[in-house]
Amino acid sequence: MKVLSFGELLLRLAAPSYTRFLQKDSFDATFCGAEANVAVSLSLFGLESVFLTKLPENEIGVAAMRSLQYFGVNTECIVFGDGRMGLYYLEKGASQRPSKVIYDRKDSAVALSENADYNWDKLFEGVDWFHFTGITPALSDNLSVICKEACMAARKKGIMVSCDLNYRKKLWSTEKAKEVMSSLMKYVDVCIANEEDAEKVLGISPDDNNVNEARLNKSGYELTAKEICQKYGCKYVGITLRESYSASVNGWSCMLYDRDKSETVFSSKYDIQIIDRVGSGDSFTAGLIYGLINGKSNQETVEFAAAASCLKHSVEGDYNRVTVEEVESLIRNGGSGRVQR
């Protein structure tokens, strides 16, 4: 099975360890991006994973592309052209101090994309699954149009489409997000969200829920998933359930709703000591895609996705550098962290 992911490839500049932006005179540099994170995980899980973006035509753009090739991601479709490398700065939180993200991605190469850069009929040859997130159309008005063209072409070819809503308030307003994403959601088969995404982007939220107080109303999330399917025609809705005790300790579990079976399943819950939480939602998405493509049951799929994203919290950088064997070991043996000899 062949999965094509489309989005921006970024350079992440992170304050070392848990230091603050103004505490050190250096940053740790790694490449990343929501859809790229998914592409890397899928490749490590053994699927044929293709990543599509537009990169600056210079050595940094080539280095970014090679960061994907290292994990076996197919980069043959990547376009090079004018523009710069998008950046984001990360200060990891600890205890009661939250993490901070600063974006610097205006006029990046992918944000300057033109419709002529992407021949979707050709790009979708042999593709079984198309994945994008709400971040990509937020980058420019033209990318909103390009995403819609991609979704329409995928629907015409019978390709499964997944979208992580991934609302980012620093990229666009809730009003613009609702306007754009509402026009795209009718093409989406698998919707991935968290409690903020569903509310800010779709205006749908569970009752009696407060993530900041570590209180989750599971029946409310089920109703949210059903409403998304009824309103937009999605086949599946995956939701991450994060309970924020502090920046260092979170409760983590996940939900999957299957419209055709009218079935809701919840994963096991993990209490996580966080090393790096960025990219955890993307690793959940990759786990869902892997499980659904491989014909796993809904319960098996959500357990795999939850375990994969649980492990991501222990991995530095946005890419989730774990294998199917490691994910399945966590599911079988629990999270004791004992040395594997």
Side-chain angles (χ1 to χ4, degrees):
M1 297 289 279
K2 187 176 181 179
V3 182
L4 187 149
S5 303
F6 173 56
E8 182 168 27
L9 189 55
L10 293 161
L11 178 61
R12 161 178 146 165
L13 299 175
S17 187
Y18 291 92
T19 59
R20 309 211 65 186
F21 285 135
L22 302 178
Q23 192 171 345
K24 294 280 188 178
D25 57 2
S26 64
F27 291 95
D28 295 329
T30 53
F31 293 104
C32 59
E35 297 88 352
N37 299 338
V38 171
V40 166
S41 281
L42 293 176
S43 182
L44 290 174
F45 292 160
L47 295 177
E48 185 178 358
S49 179
V50 181
F51 186 68
L52 173 64
T53 191
K54 188 173 184 179
L55 290 170
E57 199 164 10
N58 56 39
E59 289 88 343
I60 304 303
V62 173
M65 180 181 68
R66 287 179 178 172
S67 77
L68 297 174
Q69 293 173 342
Y70 176 83
F71 296 100
V73 176
N74 184 328
T75 61
E76 293 177 358
C77 295
I78 287 179
V79 179
F80 286 86
D82 295 334
R84 53 182 287 263
M85 192 78 204
L87 308 175
Y88 92 85
Y89 298 87
L90 172 66
E91 178 183 288
K92 289 193 294 183
S95 191
Q96 278 67 47
R97 176 171 59 83
S99 297
K100 290 184 178 180
V101 169
I102 298 174
Y103 290 125
D104 179 16
R105 52 205 301 182
K106 184 179 180 182
D107 295 330
S108 67
V110 74
L112 297 178
S113 290
E114 299 177 358
N115 302 55
D117 290 326
Y118 309 103
N119 181 339
W120 293 109
D121 281 338
K122 184 177 180 180
L123 289 166
F124 281 146
E125 288 179 1
V127 171
D128 302 288
W129 193 296
F130 173 60
H131 176 69
F132 73 107
T133 79
I135 293 174
T136 302
L139 297 175
S140 70
D141 289 339
N142 210 39
L143 271 175
S144 298
V145 175
I146 291 169
C147 283
K148 188 167 185 178
E149 290 179 346
C151 288
M152 292 171 65
R155 175 61 58 90
K156 186 177 180 181
K157 289 179 175 286
I159 295 170
M160 198 79 160
V161 176
S162 59
C163 177
D164 187 338
L165 297 180
N166 260 350
Y167 176 68
R168 298 291 184 266
K169 65 182 179 182
K170 294 184 178 181
L171 295 180
W172 58 358
S173 66
T174 55
E175 292 76 18
K176 186 66 178 290
K178 288 176 183 177
E179 175 190 346
V180 172
M181 295 306 296
S182 293
S183 70
L184 297 176
M185 282 296 294
K186 63 183 178 181
Y187 301 102
V188 173
D189 298 296
V190 182
C191 175
I192 299 97
N194 62 27
E195 70 289 333
E196 182 182 24
D197 296 335
E199 179 183 0
K200 301 294 186 183
V201 179
L202 306 179
I204 300 171
S205 61
D207 296 328
D208 189 32
N209 190 69
N210 190 325
V211 67
N212 294 319
E213 295 179 6
R215 184 178 73 243
L216 298 176
N217 176 15
K218 289 187 175 182
S219 63
Y221 280 107
E222 182 176 10
L223 291 173
T224 296
K226 288 180 178 179
E227 188 172 345
I228 291 173
C229 289
Q230 290 168 358
K231 188 172 183 179
Y232 299 104
C234 302
K235 298 177 181 178
Y236 298 92
V237 175
I239 297 179
T240 55
L241 310 173
R242 185 185 295 277
E243 299 168 81
S244 295
Y245 309 126
S246 71
S248 302
V249 181
N250 284 184
W252 183 258
S253 59
C254 307
M255 188 199 91
L256 177 63
Y257 174 72
D258 182 330
R259 181 199 66 190
D260 292 342
K261 293 183 178 179
S262 191
E263 180 181 34
T264 304
V265 291
F266 291 88
S267 74
S268 303
K269 177 185 170 184
Y270 300 93
D271 285 329
I272 301 171
Q273 298 282 341
I274 298 174
I275 300 300
D276 191 338
R277 62 171 279 178
V278 184
S280 54
D282 305 322
S283 55
F284 167 72
T285 295
L288 281 187
I289 294 173
Y290 174 83
L292 293 172
I293 281 179
N294 282 282
K296 292 179 177 288
S297 70
N298 289 330
Q299 189 65 55
E300 290 171 335
T301 296
V302 78
E303 293 291 359
F304 185 90
S309 50
C310 169
L311 289 173
K312 167 61 198 74
H313 289 78
S314 70
V315 179
E316 287 275 8
D318 287 35
Y319 295 159
N320 192 21
R321 302 164 185 252
V322 300
T323 64
V324 170
E325 182 181 358
E326 289 173 315
V327 175
E328 292 179 343
S329 176
L330 174 58
I331 296 171
R332 288 193 309 269
N333 304 317
S336 67
R338 291 176 62 85
V339 175
Q340 302 298 305
R341 301 183 189 276

